[in-house]
Short mmCIF file of all heavy atoms in Angstrom, two decimals:
data_model
loop_
_atom_site.label_atom_id
_atom_site.label_comp_id
_atom_site.label_asym_id
_atom_site.label_seq_id
_atom_site.Cartn_x
_atom_site.Cartn_y
_atom_site.Cartn_z
N THR A 1445 -12.41 -10.97 11.42
CA THR A 1445 -12.03 -12.21 10.74
C THR A 1445 -11.16 -11.85 9.55
O THR A 1445 -11.54 -11.01 8.73
CB THR A 1445 -13.28 -12.98 10.27
OG1 THR A 1445 -14.06 -13.33 11.42
CG2 THR A 1445 -12.89 -14.24 9.51
N VAL A 1446 -10.01 -12.47 9.48
CA VAL A 1446 -9.05 -12.20 8.41
C VAL A 1446 -8.97 -13.41 7.50
O VAL A 1446 -8.75 -14.53 7.95
CB VAL A 1446 -7.65 -11.88 9.00
CG1 VAL A 1446 -6.64 -11.66 7.89
CG2 VAL A 1446 -7.72 -10.68 9.92
N THR A 1447 -9.16 -13.16 6.22
CA THR A 1447 -9.03 -14.22 5.22
C THR A 1447 -7.88 -13.87 4.29
O THR A 1447 -7.43 -12.74 4.23
CB THR A 1447 -10.33 -14.36 4.39
OG1 THR A 1447 -10.59 -13.12 3.71
CG2 THR A 1447 -11.51 -14.74 5.28
N GLY A 1448 -7.41 -14.88 3.57
CA GLY A 1448 -6.38 -14.67 2.57
C GLY A 1448 -4.96 -14.68 3.10
O GLY A 1448 -4.02 -14.48 2.33
N HIS A 1449 -4.77 -14.94 4.39
CA HIS A 1449 -3.41 -14.89 4.92
C HIS A 1449 -2.54 -16.00 4.35
O HIS A 1449 -1.32 -15.85 4.27
CB HIS A 1449 -3.41 -14.92 6.45
CG HIS A 1449 -3.78 -16.22 7.06
ND1 HIS A 1449 -2.85 -17.16 7.41
CD2 HIS A 1449 -4.99 -16.75 7.36
CE1 HIS A 1449 -3.47 -18.21 7.90
NE2 HIS A 1449 -4.77 -17.97 7.89
N GLU A 1450 -3.15 -17.09 3.92
CA GLU A 1450 -2.36 -18.18 3.33
C GLU A 1450 -1.85 -17.82 1.94
O GLU A 1450 -0.87 -18.39 1.47
CB GLU A 1450 -3.18 -19.46 3.31
CG GLU A 1450 -3.45 -19.99 4.71
CD GLU A 1450 -4.37 -21.19 4.72
OE1 GLU A 1450 -5.09 -21.43 3.72
OE2 GLU A 1450 -4.38 -21.89 5.74
N GLN A 1451 -2.51 -16.88 1.27
CA GLN A 1451 -2.06 -16.44 -0.06
C GLN A 1451 -1.05 -15.29 0.03
O GLN A 1451 -0.35 -15.02 -0.93
CB GLN A 1451 -3.26 -15.96 -0.90
CG GLN A 1451 -4.19 -17.07 -1.34
CD GLN A 1451 -5.15 -17.51 -0.25
OE1 GLN A 1451 -5.53 -16.72 0.60
NE2 GLN A 1451 -5.53 -18.77 -0.27
N ALA A 1452 -0.98 -14.65 1.18
CA ALA A 1452 -0.06 -13.53 1.38
C ALA A 1452 1.36 -14.07 1.60
O ALA A 1452 1.54 -15.24 1.93
CB ALA A 1452 -0.51 -12.70 2.58
N PRO A 1453 2.37 -13.22 1.43
CA PRO A 1453 3.75 -13.65 1.71
C PRO A 1453 3.90 -14.16 3.15
O PRO A 1453 3.15 -13.74 4.04
CB PRO A 1453 4.57 -12.38 1.49
CG PRO A 1453 3.75 -11.54 0.57
CD PRO A 1453 2.32 -11.84 0.93
N ALA A 1454 4.86 -15.02 3.36
CA ALA A 1454 5.06 -15.66 4.67
C ALA A 1454 5.23 -14.64 5.79
O ALA A 1454 4.70 -14.82 6.88
CB ALA A 1454 6.25 -16.60 4.61
N HIS A 1455 5.98 -13.55 5.54
CA HIS A 1455 6.19 -12.55 6.59
C HIS A 1455 4.89 -11.82 6.95
O HIS A 1455 4.70 -11.42 8.09
CB HIS A 1455 7.31 -11.57 6.22
CG HIS A 1455 7.00 -10.72 5.03
ND1 HIS A 1455 7.19 -11.17 3.74
CD2 HIS A 1455 6.52 -9.47 4.93
CE1 HIS A 1455 6.84 -10.23 2.89
NE2 HIS A 1455 6.42 -9.18 3.58
N VAL A 1456 3.97 -11.68 6.00
CA VAL A 1456 2.67 -11.07 6.28
C VAL A 1456 1.83 -12.02 7.13
O VAL A 1456 1.22 -11.62 8.12
CB VAL A 1456 1.95 -10.70 4.96
CG1 VAL A 1456 0.49 -10.35 5.21
CG2 VAL A 1456 2.67 -9.55 4.27
N SER A 1457 1.83 -13.28 6.75
CA SER A 1457 1.09 -14.28 7.52
C SER A 1457 1.63 -14.37 8.95
O SER A 1457 0.85 -14.44 9.92
CB SER A 1457 1.16 -15.63 6.82
OG SER A 1457 0.31 -16.56 7.44
N ALA A 1458 2.94 -14.34 9.09
CA ALA A 1458 3.54 -14.40 10.43
C ALA A 1458 3.12 -13.19 11.27
O ALA A 1458 2.83 -13.33 12.46
CB ALA A 1458 5.06 -14.47 10.32
N LEU A 1459 3.08 -12.01 10.67
CA LEU A 1459 2.64 -10.82 11.39
C LEU A 1459 1.20 -10.96 11.85
O LEU A 1459 0.85 -10.59 12.97
CB LEU A 1459 2.79 -9.58 10.51
CG LEU A 1459 2.29 -8.27 11.11
CD1 LEU A 1459 3.04 -7.93 12.40
CD2 LEU A 1459 2.41 -7.14 10.09
N LEU A 1460 0.36 -11.54 11.02
CA LEU A 1460 -1.04 -11.71 11.40
C LEU A 1460 -1.19 -12.66 12.59
O LEU A 1460 -2.05 -12.45 13.45
CB LEU A 1460 -1.84 -12.21 10.20
CG LEU A 1460 -2.06 -11.15 9.13
CD1 LEU A 1460 -2.46 -11.78 7.82
CD2 LEU A 1460 -3.08 -10.12 9.59
N PHE A 1461 -0.35 -13.67 12.68
CA PHE A 1461 -0.38 -14.54 13.85
C PHE A 1461 0.07 -13.78 15.11
O PHE A 1461 -0.45 -14.03 16.20
CB PHE A 1461 0.47 -15.80 13.63
CG PHE A 1461 -0.26 -16.85 12.84
CD1 PHE A 1461 -0.03 -16.98 11.48
CD2 PHE A 1461 -1.18 -17.69 13.44
CE1 PHE A 1461 -0.72 -17.94 10.74
CE2 PHE A 1461 -1.87 -18.65 12.73
CZ PHE A 1461 -1.64 -18.78 11.36
N ARG A 1462 0.97 -12.83 14.94
CA ARG A 1462 1.37 -11.99 16.07
C ARG A 1462 0.23 -11.06 16.48
O ARG A 1462 0.00 -10.82 17.67
CB ARG A 1462 2.63 -11.21 15.73
CG ARG A 1462 3.84 -12.16 15.58
CD ARG A 1462 5.09 -11.49 15.12
NE ARG A 1462 5.55 -10.51 16.10
CZ ARG A 1462 6.38 -9.53 15.81
NH1 ARG A 1462 6.86 -9.39 14.58
NH2 ARG A 1462 6.76 -8.68 16.74
N PHE A 1463 -0.52 -10.53 15.49
CA PHE A 1463 -1.72 -9.75 15.78
C PHE A 1463 -2.70 -10.58 16.59
O PHE A 1463 -3.26 -10.11 17.57
CB PHE A 1463 -2.41 -9.31 14.48
CG PHE A 1463 -1.94 -8.00 13.93
CD1 PHE A 1463 -0.61 -7.80 13.60
CD2 PHE A 1463 -2.83 -6.99 13.69
CE1 PHE A 1463 -0.19 -6.61 13.07
CE2 PHE A 1463 -2.42 -5.79 13.14
CZ PHE A 1463 -1.10 -5.60 12.84
N LYS A 1464 -2.91 -11.82 16.16
CA LYS A 1464 -3.84 -12.70 16.87
C LYS A 1464 -3.42 -12.87 18.32
O LYS A 1464 -4.26 -12.83 19.22
CB LYS A 1464 -3.95 -14.05 16.18
CG LYS A 1464 -4.87 -15.01 16.93
CD LYS A 1464 -5.40 -16.10 16.08
CE LYS A 1464 -6.30 -17.05 16.84
NZ LYS A 1464 -7.31 -16.43 17.69
N THR A 1465 -2.13 -13.03 18.57
CA THR A 1465 -1.63 -13.17 19.93
C THR A 1465 -1.95 -11.92 20.75
O THR A 1465 -2.38 -12.02 21.92
CB THR A 1465 -0.11 -13.43 19.93
OG1 THR A 1465 0.12 -14.66 19.23
CG2 THR A 1465 0.44 -13.53 21.33
N VAL A 1466 -1.78 -10.74 20.17
CA VAL A 1466 -2.10 -9.50 20.89
C VAL A 1466 -3.58 -9.48 21.26
O VAL A 1466 -3.94 -9.22 22.42
CB VAL A 1466 -1.72 -8.25 20.05
CG1 VAL A 1466 -2.30 -6.98 20.67
CG2 VAL A 1466 -0.22 -8.15 19.89
N PHE A 1467 -4.44 -9.75 20.30
CA PHE A 1467 -5.88 -9.74 20.57
C PHE A 1467 -6.25 -10.79 21.61
O PHE A 1467 -7.05 -10.52 22.52
CB PHE A 1467 -6.67 -9.95 19.28
CG PHE A 1467 -6.87 -8.70 18.47
CD1 PHE A 1467 -5.86 -8.23 17.65
CD2 PHE A 1467 -8.07 -8.01 18.52
CE1 PHE A 1467 -6.04 -7.09 16.88
CE2 PHE A 1467 -8.25 -6.86 17.77
CZ PHE A 1467 -7.24 -6.39 16.95
N ASP A 1468 -5.69 -11.98 21.50
CA ASP A 1468 -5.97 -13.04 22.48
C ASP A 1468 -5.51 -12.64 23.87
O ASP A 1468 -6.22 -12.86 24.86
CB ASP A 1468 -5.30 -14.36 22.07
CG ASP A 1468 -5.92 -15.01 20.85
OD1 ASP A 1468 -7.02 -14.58 20.41
OD2 ASP A 1468 -5.30 -15.95 20.32
N ASP A 1469 -4.33 -12.02 23.96
CA ASP A 1469 -3.81 -11.59 25.26
C ASP A 1469 -4.65 -10.46 25.85
O ASP A 1469 -4.87 -10.42 27.06
CB ASP A 1469 -2.35 -11.16 25.14
CG ASP A 1469 -1.40 -12.33 24.93
OD1 ASP A 1469 -1.83 -13.49 25.07
OD2 ASP A 1469 -0.22 -12.06 24.62
N VAL A 1470 -5.12 -9.55 25.01
CA VAL A 1470 -5.99 -8.47 25.50
C VAL A 1470 -7.25 -9.08 26.11
O VAL A 1470 -7.69 -8.69 27.19
CB VAL A 1470 -6.35 -7.49 24.37
CG1 VAL A 1470 -7.55 -6.62 24.75
CG2 VAL A 1470 -5.17 -6.62 24.00
N GLN A 1471 -7.82 -10.04 25.40
CA GLN A 1471 -9.05 -10.65 25.90
C GLN A 1471 -8.81 -11.39 27.22
O GLN A 1471 -9.58 -11.27 28.16
CB GLN A 1471 -9.64 -11.60 24.84
CG GLN A 1471 -10.99 -12.14 25.22
CD GLN A 1471 -11.75 -12.65 24.02
OE1 GLN A 1471 -12.76 -12.06 23.67
NE2 GLN A 1471 -11.30 -13.72 23.41
N LYS A 1472 -7.70 -12.13 27.28
CA LYS A 1472 -7.40 -12.93 28.47
C LYS A 1472 -6.93 -12.05 29.64
O LYS A 1472 -7.45 -12.18 30.76
CB LYS A 1472 -6.32 -13.96 28.14
CG LYS A 1472 -5.96 -14.88 29.29
CD LYS A 1472 -4.89 -15.86 28.89
CE LYS A 1472 -3.57 -15.13 28.90
NZ LYS A 1472 -2.40 -15.93 28.67
N ASP A 1473 -5.99 -11.17 29.40
CA ASP A 1473 -5.36 -10.41 30.49
C ASP A 1473 -6.16 -9.19 30.93
O ASP A 1473 -6.10 -8.80 32.09
CB ASP A 1473 -3.96 -9.95 30.08
CG ASP A 1473 -3.01 -11.10 29.80
OD1 ASP A 1473 -3.31 -12.24 30.19
OD2 ASP A 1473 -1.97 -10.85 29.16
N GLN A 1474 -6.87 -8.57 30.00
CA GLN A 1474 -7.59 -7.34 30.30
C GLN A 1474 -9.11 -7.53 30.36
O GLN A 1474 -9.85 -6.58 30.63
CB GLN A 1474 -7.27 -6.26 29.25
CG GLN A 1474 -5.80 -5.93 29.16
CD GLN A 1474 -5.29 -5.27 30.41
OE1 GLN A 1474 -5.91 -4.36 30.94
NE2 GLN A 1474 -4.15 -5.73 30.90
N ASN A 1475 -9.56 -8.74 30.03
CA ASN A 1475 -11.00 -9.05 30.01
C ASN A 1475 -11.78 -8.09 29.11
O ASN A 1475 -12.86 -7.63 29.45
CB ASN A 1475 -11.57 -9.07 31.43
CG ASN A 1475 -12.88 -9.82 31.50
OD1 ASN A 1475 -13.10 -10.75 30.74
ND2 ASN A 1475 -13.74 -9.43 32.41
N ILE A 1476 -11.17 -7.77 27.98
CA ILE A 1476 -11.80 -6.93 26.96
C ILE A 1476 -12.19 -7.86 25.81
O ILE A 1476 -11.34 -8.57 25.28
CB ILE A 1476 -10.84 -5.83 26.47
CG1 ILE A 1476 -10.48 -4.89 27.64
CG2 ILE A 1476 -11.45 -5.05 25.32
CD1 ILE A 1476 -9.40 -3.88 27.31
N HIS A 1477 -13.48 -7.84 25.45
CA HIS A 1477 -13.96 -8.81 24.48
C HIS A 1477 -13.66 -8.34 23.05
O HIS A 1477 -14.42 -7.57 22.45
CB HIS A 1477 -15.44 -9.09 24.66
CG HIS A 1477 -15.87 -10.30 23.92
ND1 HIS A 1477 -15.61 -11.57 24.36
CD2 HIS A 1477 -16.50 -10.43 22.74
CE1 HIS A 1477 -16.08 -12.44 23.50
NE2 HIS A 1477 -16.63 -11.77 22.49
N VAL A 1478 -12.54 -8.81 22.53
CA VAL A 1478 -12.14 -8.59 21.14
C VAL A 1478 -11.69 -9.94 20.59
O VAL A 1478 -11.05 -10.71 21.28
CB VAL A 1478 -11.01 -7.54 21.01
CG1 VAL A 1478 -11.52 -6.17 21.40
CG2 VAL A 1478 -9.80 -7.91 21.84
N GLU A 1479 -12.05 -10.20 19.36
CA GLU A 1479 -11.66 -11.44 18.70
C GLU A 1479 -10.92 -11.11 17.41
O GLU A 1479 -11.27 -10.17 16.71
CB GLU A 1479 -12.89 -12.29 18.38
CG GLU A 1479 -13.65 -12.76 19.58
CD GLU A 1479 -14.89 -13.55 19.21
OE1 GLU A 1479 -15.17 -13.72 18.00
OE2 GLU A 1479 -15.61 -13.98 20.13
N PHE A 1480 -9.94 -11.95 17.11
CA PHE A 1480 -9.18 -11.82 15.87
C PHE A 1480 -8.99 -13.24 15.36
O PHE A 1480 -8.29 -14.04 15.97
CB PHE A 1480 -7.82 -11.16 16.15
CG PHE A 1480 -7.08 -10.74 14.92
CD1 PHE A 1480 -7.33 -9.52 14.33
CD2 PHE A 1480 -6.11 -11.57 14.36
CE1 PHE A 1480 -6.62 -9.12 13.19
CE2 PHE A 1480 -5.42 -11.18 13.24
CZ PHE A 1480 -5.66 -9.95 12.65
N ASN A 1481 -9.67 -13.55 14.27
CA ASN A 1481 -9.67 -14.91 13.75
C ASN A 1481 -9.04 -14.97 12.37
O ASN A 1481 -9.29 -14.10 11.52
CB ASN A 1481 -11.11 -15.43 13.67
CG ASN A 1481 -11.80 -15.38 15.02
OD1 ASN A 1481 -11.37 -16.01 15.96
ND2 ASN A 1481 -12.86 -14.57 15.11
#
């Protein structure tokens, strides 16, 4: 669980959303249970 992304610079927040996509895709495509919130 990641907090504080709204206080971080916009490019940092955008990167974190890309991280979330990677984790979501791993869970969906590889059936590996990892969460990134």
